[in-house]
Amino acid sequence: MEVRARAPGKIILAGEHAVVHGSAAVAAAIDLYTTSSLRLLPEEEDGGAGAVELDLRDSALVFSWPCSRLRGALGELSGKAGAPAPCSPDKLAAIAKLMEGQEIPEAKIWLSAGLSAFLYLYTSILGCRPGKTVVISDLPIGAGLGSSAAFCVSMSGALLTASGAVGTGRGSGAEEWQLFGKDDLELVNQWAFQGEKIIHGKPSGIDNSVSTFGSMIKFKKGELTNLRSRNPVKMLITDTRVGRNTKALVAGVSERASRHPDATASVFNAVNSISEELSSIVELAAEDEIAITSKEDKLAELMEMNQGLLQCMGVSHSSIETVLRTSLKYSLVSKLTGAGGGGCVLTLIPTLLEKVATELESYGFRCFKVEVGGRGLQVCRG
Ligand SMILES: Nc1ncnc2c1ncn2[C@@H]1O[C@H](COP(=O)(O)OP(=O)(O)OP(=O)(O)O)[C@@H](O)[C@H]1O
Ligand SMILES: C[C@@](O)(CCO)CC(=O)[O-]
Ligand SMILES: [Mg+2]
C-alpha cells in the first residue's frame, strides 16, 4: 500500500527572524505543495536485505541506503510511534557518515541537509525497514516559501501514517485528500519540527506549524493562534532566484544580535508590534464581516515598516531592492518573505496587475499567483 501526504508552503506576512527571538509573526499557507509518497517493502524484496530509498523527482536524484548499513551505523532501531526525542549529537554524526558515498552533485550540495532530516525521520519512526519514498514539490527550494518545512511535514505525515501512529484521516469519501484530526496534526508537527532543526539549526517552529495546520496564523514563542480571515489578502510572490540558505541567515541575525543586543532588542520589539497590529487587523476585518482589502492601506504600511526592519537585521539583498523599486513604480508595497538574502518577495496587490508581473519577469525573476490561507497537511492512501 502507498501512503501519500502533501503539505503546503507558506508566506510570512510579518515577523520573520524576530520570531526566532520571541516576537510575534503572522504566516499563511499557500496552495503550492510538497508531496511525499511512501511504499513499505517486505524484507525479502531486494535480495533479502532491503534498502531505504529516497527519490527526489524534481532534482532527478535517487538516494539509497541498504538496511544493513543503516543498522550498522544507527543500531537496531525499532521505530517510535509517540512524541519525538531531539536528534542526539551522536545520531547526527552517524547520519553525517551515512551521507558518505551518496553522489550529491556539487551544485546541489544543500540537499544534504534535507537528506539528513529524511534519514532521521525515517529511521526514528519506522526503524530500518525497507521502503521507497518519492518526493515531488511545487515549491522553489531554498527561496523563502517554507520548502524545508513542507518537506518535513509531508514526510512526517507519510511516515507516521505508514507506522499506524496517526489515524485514518477525516474527510468525505468523495475526496481524494483527507484531513487529520487535531491530535494527529500535533504529533506530525512535533516530528516535523525536529526535522526542521536538522535543516535550519534554530527554527522558531512557525514554518512547520503553518504547513501542518494551514490557514493564517499568529505565532509567538511556540504558541499558535488561528486567525479567521474573510477574503484573504491578495499577494503576488516574486522569486528573485537568488539562492540562499535559511540556516546561515538565521545565524547571521543572531550574531548581529549578540554584537548589538540593545539595538536589536528594540528592532525585534518593533517587529512584534507590527505583527500584533497586522493580526488584529485581520481578526477585526473578519469580526466586522468586511473584506480585508478595505484595510489594505494599513497592511501596506505595516509591510513597508517590517521590510525596513528586516534591512536593519541585514537580511535584504540587491535583488529584493529591485523588486521593491519596481513595485513602487506601480504604487505597490513589497517586503521579503521567509529568511531573505534573495529568495521570495511579497507584493500586496488590490487586483492582479499583469503589468507589474511582466516587468518583474523581464528581470529574470519568477512570479507566482497563489491562494493564501488554505489547508494544511492532507493524506491519501492508495
Ligand atoms: N523537495 C525537497 N527535497 C529535498 N530537500 C528539500 C526539499 N525541499 C527542501 N529541502 C531541504 O530544505 C533546504 C531548504 O531549506 P531552507 O530553509 O534553506 O529554505 P526554505 O525552507 O525554502 O525557505 P524559508 O525557510 O526561508 O521559508 C534545502 O537545501 C534542502 O536541504
Ligand atoms: C527566518 C525565519 O524566521 C522564517 C523562515 O521562513 C526562521 C524561523 O522562524 O524558523
Ligand atoms: Mg526553511
Side-chain angles (χ1 to χ4, degrees):
M1 192 198 59
E2 189 178 59
V3 174
R4 280 192 292 151
R6 71 172 193 181
K10 58 91 232 257
I11 53 172
I12 297 189
L13 289 107
E16 49 275 271
H17 288 290
V19 68
V20 176
H21 301 268
S23 302
V26 180
I30 55 174
D31 62 341
L32 297 175
Y33 296 91
T34 294
T35 305
S36 296
S37 308
L38 168 67
R39 201 156 54 85
L40 288 177
L41 301 171
E43 296 276 348
E44 308 80 63
E45 262 185 44
D46 243 359
V52 170
E53 189 179 289
L54 177 64
D55 178 344
L56 300 179
R57 272 301 146 83
D58 307 298
S59 309
L61 292 169
V62 180
F63 302 93
S64 181
W65 294 267
C67 292
S68 54
R69 185 168 169 221
L70 293 177
R71 283 192 201 98
L74 303 170
E76 199 58 61
L77 296 167
S78 54
K80 188 173 186 319
C87 187
S88 69
D90 284 353
K91 185 160 182 176
L92 212 50
I95 288 175
K97 272 198 110 30
L98 286 165
M99 290 302 137
E100 286 168 12
Q102 297 296 329
E103 288 182 10
I104 309 177
E106 196 49 44
K108 295 203 167 167
I109 201 67
W110 38 267
L111 279 176
S112 64
L115 296 188
S116 301
F118 165 76
L119 277 183
Y120 158 76
L121 292 171
Y122 191 103
T123 58
S124 305
I125 295 171
L126 290 177
C128 299
R129 288 168 69 174
K132 288 188 183 205
T133 312
V134 179
V135 178
I136 300 177
S137 186
D138 308 324
L139 291 160
I141 297 181
L145 298 185
S147 72
S148 61
F151 178 78
C152 292
V153 172
S154 67
M155 191 62 73
S156 303
L159 292 166
L160 288 164
T161 303
S163 78
V166 294
T168 51
R170 289 183 291 120
S172 81
E175 270 177 2
E176 202 196 351
W177 290 103
Q178 301 197 318
L179 300 171
F180 285 102
K182 190 165 180 302
D183 290 347
D184 288 350
L185 288 177
E186 294 284 0
L187 185 65
V188 171
N189 195 33
Q190 286 175 24
W191 279 98
F193 181 57
Q194 297 304 326
E196 271 280 83
K197 284 213 281 204
I198 294 176
I199 299 176
H200 269 203
K202 196 189 167 201
S204 62
I206 188 171
D207 290 2
N208 50 283
S209 298
V210 74
S211 179
T212 304
F213 294 98
S215 176
M216 189 182 285
I217 64 164
K218 182 176 91 172
F219 186 92
K220 183 170 180 170
K221 295 186 182 154
E223 288 290 314
L224 180 157
T225 314
N226 242 302
L227 301 179
R228 289 172 306 129
S229 67
R230 295 179 81 244
N231 306 345
V233 277
K234 290 197 180 65
M235 292 283 176
L236 177 71
I237 298 176
T238 305
D239 181 3
T240 61
R241 300 187 203 246
V242 173
R244 37 35 111 238
N245 163 312
T246 299
K247 187 176 185 174
L249 287 151
V250 168
V253 173
S254 292
E255 281 159 24
R256 187 172 280 208
S258 61
R259 284 195 298 276
H260 311 284
D262 291 346
T264 43
S266 302
V267 171
F268 297 151
N269 199 22
V271 173
N272 183 62
S273 304
I274 289 172
S275 299
E276 292 290 357
E277 193 178 334
L278 196 146
S279 58
S280 60
I281 290 174
V282 171
E283 288 260 86
L284 281 175
E287 242 166 59
D288 298 349
E289 306 222 329
I290 53 168
I292 187 77
T293 38
S294 65
K295 305 278 182 191
E296 231 144 54
D297 288 352
K298 277 192 171 175
L299 284 182
E301 213 162 40
L302 290 169
M303 282 173 57
E304 196 172 45
M305 286 156 72
N306 194 170
Q307 172 62 29
L309 295 167
L310 285 158
Q311 272 150 358
C312 278
M313 293 177 215
V315 295
S316 196
H317 184 271
S318 57
S319 61
I320 295 173
E321 306 294 327
T322 303
V323 179
L324 299 185
R325 269 199 315 278
T326 308
S327 58
L328 208 54
K329 281 206 305 205
Y330 297 88
S331 308
L332 298 172
V333 164
S334 304
K335 75 170 266 295
L336 69 85
T337 190
C344 286
V345 183
L346 294 181
T347 304
L348 185 62
I349 42 171
T351 51
L352 184 60
L353 285 178
E354 284 302 334
K355 271 203 296 192
V356 69
T358 307
E359 180 166 346
L360 287 166
E361 288 189 327
S362 76
Y363 298 118
F365 303 151
R366 177 181 175 197
C367 290
F368 295 90
K369 294 133 204 174
V370 295
E371 293 289 323
V372 175
R375 287 183 166 174
L377 177 67
Q378 293 155 77
V379 70
C380 169
R381 294 158 184 268

